[in-house]
Amino acid sequence: QVQLVESGGGLVQAGGSLRLSCAASGRTASTYAMGWFRQAPGKEREFVAAINWSGASTYYADSVKGRFTISRDNAKNTVYLQMNSLKPEDTAVYYCAYRRTVVYEYEYWGQGTQVTVSS
């Protein structure tokens, strides 16, 4: 099994920045992809960003493209989400997720970290 622990959430003014981290531990596969999702009050969980094993391929939701950057450090089993130019609509609980490269569905999820952006 795999455990994911997010950190870095908090309260920030609109226009500010935060960096979220997610550390993976346990029986991680030789290669795995990671993603970030978020869920705002009254909304469904939505995709934010994803990154493949090597870091060569990244994907972003249109709502965050150009403002957020996903990256990873495989030596540390950690994925990051750098969030710049934050907007109040970015307020949500942010979750990281893990999947082996050979499967399509995310298999493990972190507990979530709250991000609140004030105007």
Side-chain angles (χ1 to χ4, degrees):
Q1 61 181 14
V2 175
Q3 297 81 44
L4 306 175
V5 179
E6 298 105 329
S7 62
L11 174 65
V12 65
Q13 287 276 339
S17 298
L18 286 173
R19 189 180 76 157
L20 306 183
S21 299
C22 176
S25 62
R27 295 176 59 85
T28 53
S30 297
T31 64
Y32 56 92
M34 296 286 291
W36 286 97
F37 294 75
R38 66 187 183 186
Q39 187 168 24
K43 302 289 187 179
E44 296 293 325
R45 183 176 294 182
E46 66 174 347
F47 169 78
V48 175
I51 188 167
N52 74 340
W53 167 252
S54 71
S57 297
T58 58
Y59 306 88
Y60 298 94
D62 288 343
S63 59
V64 307
K65 191 174 181 64
R67 300 187 297 120
F68 291 11
T69 303
I70 188 171
S71 62
R72 68 191 299 165
D73 183 343
N74 289 345
K76 298 180 179 179
N77 289 323
T78 300
V79 64
Y80 305 95
L81 185 68
Q82 178 67 47
M83 305 185 294
N84 298 328
S85 302
L86 282 162
K87 305 174 181 179
E89 50 263 48
D90 295 319
T91 295
V93 177
Y94 284 70
Y95 301 87
C96 67
Y98 162 109
R99 68 168 179 87
R100 290 169 290 168
T101 300
V102 296
V103 303
Y104 293 110
E105 299 83 9
Y106 287 97
E107 301 173 276
Y108 296 96
W109 296 79
Q111 81 287 349
T113 186
Q114 177 71 48
V115 172
T116 302
V117 184
S118 62
S119 60

